[in-house]
Amino acid sequence: MNSAAPRHLLVTAILLVVHSAHAADERTLPTLQVQASQPSRFDSRVTVDNRQAQNRTLGGLLEHVSGVQSSAFGPNAGAPVIRSLSGNRVQILQDGQSILGMNAISGNINVPFDPLFVRSVTVNKSSDTVRYGGNAIGGSVEIDSGLISRSMEDKDQSIELVLRKGFNAADAQGFRMNFNNQRNLSTNLQVSRQRISHYDIPGNSKASICNTRLFPPTGGVNASLADSCQKEARAQQIYNKASQPYIDQGITENPDWADGDFSFYTNEPTSVWQQRIYINPTNPDYVPNTPSYTRKTINDDVTPDYHRRLGNSYSRNSQVALGSTLFFDRGYVGISIDAKDSEYGVPGFSMQNLSFGSNYAKGLPVGVVIKQERYALEALLRDPLPWFERAELRVSKLDNTSGERLGATKANDYEFESTQAELLLSHQRLGPLSGMLGLSHQSRDVTGSGSLRYLPDVDTQSNAVFLKESLDFGWAALDAGVRHERVDHELRPSRFKTARNAANTRLEDRSYRLNSYSLGAYVELGPLFAAKARYSSSQRAPEINELYASRAHYSVMTQEEGNQNLEPERAKNLELTGLFHISGFELSATAYRMKYENYLYLGYSGMQTANRLPLKYWKQTNTTVKGFEIDASQALDLGRYGTLNVSAFADLVRNKSDNDDKYPPNMPTNRYGASVRWERDSWKCRLSSIYYGEQKYLGRSYIEEVPLDAFNLVDLQVSHELPTHNAYVSSVELFINGSNLLNEEARPHNSPLKYIAPLPGRGFQVGLTMKF
């Protein structure tokens, strides 16, 4: 596709809408109040708005939501893990458009995310394929950036200034400006940056089991654990010369026939050699009742085991963004430009995985560099056509380059150029019936470079049509949706070559036809109880890494080999929720089961390649994911002492193969969380705790995983708004937040780096937010 076409489409759409707005009426136009969509009563949507928290990553922001954890690929890269699913199965969106890129393929690539000024993040824990396509088979996460105003601001101009100082947390600065004419034009400007040189940790960067569990009592070496700990581990059997009472005289006189040291010693006082009887002398070193062999172990660090300070954990992020909205009597049109830069280290991790006996001091640290530019248009028009009450158009172009660095040298770069367009038509309500028709198009070009690239150059086209309808009777509601999608992967000429042991001999284009549908119901069972149920059948096409990857993928420490003959995944999901509320108390309990056909996973081949990387192939099996989530909260009015909200949750998920009765590695553990939130006048305080249990469902690569200890993360946020008597300053808010207050050694089991990089220790941020 011509790269200029998206820009032409964007400019044309802007001109058409602006021309229509001014042609409609030259007088002052009324302000359009656009109502935010309410959370659905059919799925599991949760909106998070916690701007005072540290929020290093998008996954970190959402990990207080039941059923959602962070992938925690070190402190600087964390994607949402929803009910054990992540990557290509969880759609990440900003202002309604996908921002999935290398962050879905390689876990050390972070989701570009601005923690200072994001308005809110909504996570849907149910399958969302009808709305957002196959990459939402495990749910979706939508970021509201706040760049495009969807209603006129209260004041004609405002400035928000944020300053944060971190102690084992990032320093952050930023400002947000809005200026408008209180009639039809509103513009937002956002600038922010975050910096930290390193993170401190409670103890050592490598887990204690990297020393205590490498050599099983039965003998040998736990090679899988040694590789995960980035250790050179070997065990040798050494013959004990003091274990036998005599020296074999026959072998002593004929040493060429010896097979080793043990050949020179014997338990017999005489021996026969070539029909000659020898009198064996006594062994002067003999010690009775000592073992014949002793075990000698080698346990050397390939990468450093840091103490108190996590090496190579620096991070630098910055954002500059501009958005402007033009309102007219029947809607609005908004445009935005968003540029993000990110650079950070991957702690305790070596892409080289040096072989035995190497000079490990020459190992180079791994860094990640991300540059992203995003151009977007969003428009809404009321009563666009007969029988339709509103039309929404979203168009965006995303340029994302994500690369890995080995020291100062480029290992690989991947450029994702995506163009997306979506049109939504909502028909007029017919009594209790409402719904919309959607058309979606996405074009994505992936281009790679560098000596350590593992993906070819691929163009992907996706086109879809979907329909969603709902019946709302107040006390009961029904919804249904269906989507048809076509996905085409087309290979482009490049110098990429597959490995000698690749499953693909000759790479070929692939096309898929996908069909998904969903059904939901909600019913009130009296004044206190309600229930909802949801069933969906969803399909996802294999992604380019699952089809075409080949050679070493160091960020997952695997020789990754794709298979272009893979079939689409099919998930049949059933979700049941019970609701109870009385006098400020709310209780929600959800149980779910997701049965996957052709579930895609990386399976171990039983072999290792160069640099001790396990050789793994993308395979398919039938898998069942089951779990539950319980959320409870109690709101209390304390009168002149303010308000108090106490909440708690528990969640558990189990992902198990139906065929070989195995669990995947790096699965989330069961959790139990509680929080207390108190507000009074200008004071706000929130104390939260999440307990992460020890993993019971251990996965297997080529040896079963070794579980790590449970831990408890305690966080605190306190803020106070000062009175202001300045005509130019509307508010000043001081705050302090603390994370991991117990300074626990926290190693989430679902983290690929759990054995070599714990979460940061106790940290604090202090700062202020000023509004003008």
Side-chain angles (χ1 to χ4, degrees):
M1 177 179 288
N2 187 338
S3 61
R7 293 183 176 87
H8 292 163
L9 177 61
L10 186 67
V11 172
T12 302
I14 295 171
L15 292 177
L16 286 174
V17 176
V18 171
H19 174 75
S20 299
H22 285 279
D25 199 342
E26 294 297 332
R27 57 183 170 82
T28 302
L29 298 174
T31 301
L32 175 70
Q33 298 294 332
V34 180
Q35 299 295 324
S37 59
Q38 296 298 318
S40 172
R41 293 195 285 177
F42 307 104
D43 50 31
S44 298
R45 293 184 192 274
V46 179
T47 298
V48 176
D49 182 7
N50 189 12
R51 295 175 57 191
Q52 300 294 24
Q54 293 185 23
N55 302 339
R56 291 184 295 266
T57 64
L58 181 60
L61 172 64
L62 297 174
E63 62 187 353
H64 287 80
V65 177
S66 64
V68 183
Q69 298 192 31
S70 174
S71 60
F73 206 109
N76 302 315
V81 180
I82 302 177
R83 296 173 176 174
S84 82
L85 304 175
S86 60
N88 292 320
R89 297 186 178 98
V90 174
Q91 182 67 267
I92 310 294
L93 308 112
Q94 178 176 316
D95 298 328
Q97 299 274 269
S98 173
I99 56 172
L100 279 182
M102 277 305 291
N103 51 294
I105 293 173
S106 191
N108 63 335
I109 305 298
N110 196 30
V111 180
F113 170 66
D114 174 32
L116 290 188
F117 297 116
V118 61
R119 288 290 179 89
S120 64
V121 178
T122 299
V123 54
N124 183 6
K125 295 182 283 185
S126 305
S127 174
D128 216 0
T129 53
V130 170
R131 181 65 180 84
Y132 293 120
N135 288 123
I137 197 170
S140 64
V141 175
E142 181 163 356
I143 302 167
D144 181 358
S145 69
L147 285 176
I148 295 179
S149 299
R150 297 179 179 90
S151 61
M152 185 58 69
E153 310 291 332
D154 295 334
K155 300 192 305 181
D156 59 359
Q157 59 182 13
S158 63
I159 299 176
E160 181 178 352
L161 176 66
V162 179
L163 299 174
R164 297 185 181 186
K165 174 62 181 174
F167 302 90
N168 202 31
D171 296 335
Q173 306 87 35
F175 70 87
R176 183 180 191 275
M177 299 176 59
N178 173 267
F179 41 95
N180 61 80
N181 61 7
Q182 286 290 289
R183 297 191 307 275
N184 60 353
L185 187 63
S186 177
T187 299
N188 297 298
L189 172 65
Q190 295 177 184
V191 179
S192 66
R193 70 171 189 170
Q194 301 87 42
R195 298 287 189 275
I196 190 169
S197 60
H198 70 275
Y199 285 98
D200 294 332
I201 53 178
N204 295 327
S205 61
K206 295 193 177 181
S208 60
I209 61 173
C210 291
N211 295 315
T212 61
R213 299 285 296 273
L214 290 185
F215 305 100
T218 54
V221 178
N222 187 331
S224 177
L225 180 61
D227 289 342
S228 298
C229 293
Q230 299 218 309
K231 290 267 193 175
E232 177 185 345
R234 287 181 287 175
Q236 298 176 329
Q237 294 291 103
I238 307 298
Y239 175 71
N240 178 16
K241 297 179 180 180
S243 64
Q244 294 180 285
Y246 299 99
I247 298 174
D248 192 315
Q249 188 63 28
I251 294 297
T252 301
E253 295 181 10
N254 300 276
D256 292 341
W257 292 90
D259 291 329
D261 289 344
F262 68 90
S263 299
F264 292 92
Y265 297 88
T266 181
N267 293 325
E268 305 298 330
T270 62
S271 60
V272 178
W273 179 257
Q274 294 183 349
Q275 300 181 350
R276 177 183 172 185
I277 298 176
Y278 290 87
I279 304 300
N280 294 329
T282 59
N283 179 5
D285 299 323
Y286 174 65
V287 178
N289 300 319
T290 56
S292 299
Y293 287 88
T294 59
R295 186 167 64 162
K296 178 183 178 181
T297 60
I298 297 174
N299 182 4
D300 295 331
D301 286 303
V302 175
T303 53
D305 186 4
Y306 303 103
H307 182 65
R308 300 290 183 185
R309 175 177 291 192
L310 189 58
N312 196 41
S313 59
Y314 69 90
S315 177
R316 294 183 287 273
N317 302 296
S318 62
Q319 180 204 33
V320 178
L322 178 69
S324 188
T325 305
L326 175 68
F327 296 94
F328 51 95
D329 59 347
R330 292 171 55 198
Y332 69 84
V333 59
I335 58 172
S336 65
I337 303 173
D338 181 3
K340 293 185 176 73
D341 289 329
S342 184
E343 182 180 356
Y344 55 88
V346 182
F349 180 74
S350 170
M351 282 172 61
Q352 295 162 296
N353 200 28
L354 299 172
S355 57
F356 292 138
S358 300
N359 181 2
Y360 303 132
K362 294 183 178 180
L364 298 174
V366 176
V368 172
V369 177
I370 303 173
K371 294 184 180 296
Q372 177 175 292
E373 295 179 354
R374 183 175 181 274
Y375 310 88
L377 175 146
E378 180 179 322
L380 181 145
L381 182 63
R382 294 189 300 179
D383 302 322
L385 297 168
W387 303 103
F388 289 91
E389 66 177 22
R390 58 191 284 163
E392 298 173 71
L393 173 68
R394 294 185 181 93
V395 181
S396 68
K397 178 172 174 56
L398 180 74
D399 293 336
N400 178 294
T401 301
S402 302
E404 296 170 320
R405 300 293 180 265
L406 193 56
T409 305
K410 181 177 80 170
N412 56 59
D413 271 343
Y414 289 96
E415 183 177 0
F416 280 66
E417 294 187 1
S418 301
T419 302
Q420 302 173 70
E422 182 182 65
L423 176 64
L424 303 177
L425 295 171
S426 300
H427 65 73
Q428 292 180 351
R429 292 186 66 91
L430 301 174
L433 180 66
S434 63
M436 67 177 178
L437 171 69
L439 302 172
S440 168
H441 167 78
Q442 183 180 45
S443 174
R444 184 190 67 190
D445 298 343
V446 179
T447 305
S449 62
S451 59
L452 297 179
R453 63 181 299 195
Y454 49 89
L455 292 173
D457 296 345
V458 187
D459 291 348
T460 299
Q461 300 277 340
S462 173
N463 295 283
V465 56
F466 60 92
L467 178 67
K468 297 186 70 174
E469 295 289 333
S470 63
L471 285 167
D472 193 341
F473 301 100
W475 62 274
L478 301 170
D479 87 332
V482 61
R483 181 185 183 99
H484 176 72
E485 184 174 10
R486 172 174 174 169
V487 178
D488 299 300
H489 298 297
E490 180 180 348
L491 292 153
R492 287 191 284 115
S494 68
R495 297 181 179 180
F496 177 79
K497 302 294 182 183
T498 58
R500 177 174 55 88
N501 44 19
N504 300 321
T505 55
R506 180 177 177 271
L507 299 183
E508 298 176 348
D509 300 341
R510 284 292 179 263
S511 296
Y512 303 93
R513 305 294 184 272
L514 309 176
N515 295 293
S516 302
Y517 67 88
S518 65
L519 300 168
Y522 169 89
V523 60
E524 294 179 359
L525 305 173
L528 303 180
F529 294 92
K532 58 182 180 180
R534 185 170 186 81
Y535 177 82
S536 62
S537 178
S538 309
Q539 280 192 294
R540 179 180 76 90
E543 260 293 358
I544 57 174
N545 60 315
E546 298 158 339
L547 294 171
Y548 304 123
S550 187
R551 301 187 177 274
H553 186 171
Y554 283 95
S555 62
V556 294
M557 296 308 296
T558 295
Q559 172 91 10
E560 180 182 356
E561 296 297 334
N563 182 352
Q564 60 192 10
N565 295 318
L566 296 170
E567 297 294 326
E569 286 183 339
R570 165 72 74 181
K572 297 179 180 179
N573 303 346
L574 178 63
E575 181 178 327
L576 302 173
T577 300
L579 304 168
F580 173 75
H581 63 91
I582 184 174
S583 301
F585 177 76
E586 295 186 0
L587 175 67
S588 170
T590 298
Y592 57 87
R593 185 192 68 186
M594 299 179 276
K595 293 189 70 68
Y596 277 86
E597 299 172 4
N598 297 320
Y599 183 86
L600 285 155
Y601 71 102
L602 266 177
Y604 181 51
S605 67
M607 298 174 56
Q608 286 187 322
T609 59
N611 293 339
R612 297 180 288 127
L613 292 179
L615 175 61
K616 295 184 179 182
Y617 292 92
W618 280 102
K619 302 177 181 180
Q620 294 185 299
T621 186
N622 293 334
T623 294
T624 300
V625 181
K626 295 191 293 186
F628 69 84
E629 296 149 11
I630 300 175
D631 292 271
S633 66
Q634 175 68 62
L636 299 170
D637 187 350
L638 305 180
R640 62 191 183 95
Y641 296 104
T643 61
L644 187 69
N645 185 282
V646 181
S647 62
F649 77 84
D651 60 21
L652 172 67
V653 61
R654 188 179 73 171
N655 186 320
K656 187 176 182 181
S657 169
D658 296 345
N659 298 340
D660 52 17
D661 202 35
K662 291 181 181 178
Y663 302 105
N666 300 327
M667 285 293 102
T669 63
N670 58 305
R671 300 186 305 164
Y672 308 93
S675 68
V676 178
R677 188 175 70 249
W678 173 75
E679 296 184 16
R680 182 192 176 195
D681 298 330
S682 59
W683 286 93
K684 296 179 182 179
C685 179
R686 182 177 185 271
L687 178 67
S688 65
S689 170
I690 302 180
Y691 175 84
Y692 292 73
E694 180 180 313
Q695 183 59 277
K696 305 298 182 183
Y697 308 117
L698 299 173
R700 174 181 291 271
S701 178
Y702 45 100
I703 299 177
E704 189 174 76
E705 287 180 298
V706 178
L708 290 160
D709 293 337
F711 58 90
N712 187 28
L713 294 181
V714 177
D715 298 339
L716 173 69
Q717 292 125 39
V718 179
S719 65
H720 176 53
E721 187 171 331
L722 300 176
T724 60
H725 304 287
N726 190 306
Y728 299 101
V729 180
S730 60
S731 69
V732 176
E733 185 180 32
L734 302 178
F735 66 88
I736 179 172
N737 61 51
S739 60
N740 194 6
L741 295 183
L742 302 181
N743 206 35
E744 294 240 357
E745 183 175 305
R747 300 177 183 273
H749 188 83
N750 60 290
S751 169
L753 301 187
K754 55 181 175 284
Y755 298 117
I756 59 177
L759 299 182
R762 183 185 297 116
F764 296 93
Q765 272 187 340
V766 296
L768 63 84
T769 300
M770 300 181 65
K771 295 182 179 180
F772 302 88

